[in-house]
Amino acid sequence: QVQLAESGGGLVQAGGSLRLSCAAFGRTFSSHGMGWFRQVPGKAREFVAGINSGVGSTYYRDSVKGRFTISRDNTKNTVHLQMNSLKPEDTAVFYCAASTTGWGLSSSRYDYWGQGTQVTVSS
């Protein structure tokens, strides 16, 4: 089993940056695909970025490509999401998720979730 805890959210002005971190607790962290999702009230949770368990290949939704970077450190059981050039439409609760079957675009692919961290981007 894996337990996840996000941190690093907050309030930032448009154009600014934030770095989200996800601490994973569990012996099999390195074998899990990891993903970041976000959700705003009244909307479905959406995929933001994913990273696989092997060579660390990364994947992004189109709207964050070139602005967000996902990375993982298996020695520290952490996953990060560096967010640059933030826009008001990035405002959401961001969730870290772990998958035993590799990363995926659908939230149903993931087995473990963190509690979420709020990101608010002001205009």
Side-chain angles (χ1 to χ4, degrees):
Q1 231 179 6
V2 176
Q3 294 179 311
L4 305 171
E6 303 96 335
S7 61
L11 173 64
V12 65
Q13 288 188 330
S17 298
L18 282 174
R19 186 182 192 224
L20 304 184
S21 296
C22 174
F25 304 92
R27 292 180 296 174
T28 61
F29 168 77
S30 61
S31 66
H32 288 68
M34 300 298 296
W36 284 96
F37 285 74
R38 65 188 181 188
Q39 188 170 25
V40 299
K43 292 191 175 182
R45 195 168 293 188
E46 66 179 19
F47 173 83
V48 175
I51 186 167
N52 69 14
S53 61
V55 298
S57 298
T58 57
Y59 312 87
Y60 301 91
R61 70 179 299 110
D62 286 346
S63 62
V64 308
K65 284 180 181 176
R67 300 189 298 125
F68 291 11
T69 303
I70 187 173
S71 61
R72 67 188 298 162
D73 185 342
N74 289 337
T75 65
K76 297 182 179 179
N77 281 12
T78 56
V79 176
H80 300 288
L81 184 68
Q82 178 67 44
M83 304 186 296
N84 299 328
S85 302
L86 282 161
K87 304 175 181 180
E89 52 263 42
D90 293 317
T91 296
V93 176
F94 281 70
Y95 297 90
C96 173
S99 169
T100 58
T101 54
W103 80 276
L105 295 175
S106 172
S107 60
S108 62
R109 183 67 174 262
Y110 294 80
D111 306 285
Y112 306 104
W113 293 84
Q115 80 287 354
T117 186
Q118 176 71 47
V119 171
T120 302
V121 184
S122 63
S123 57

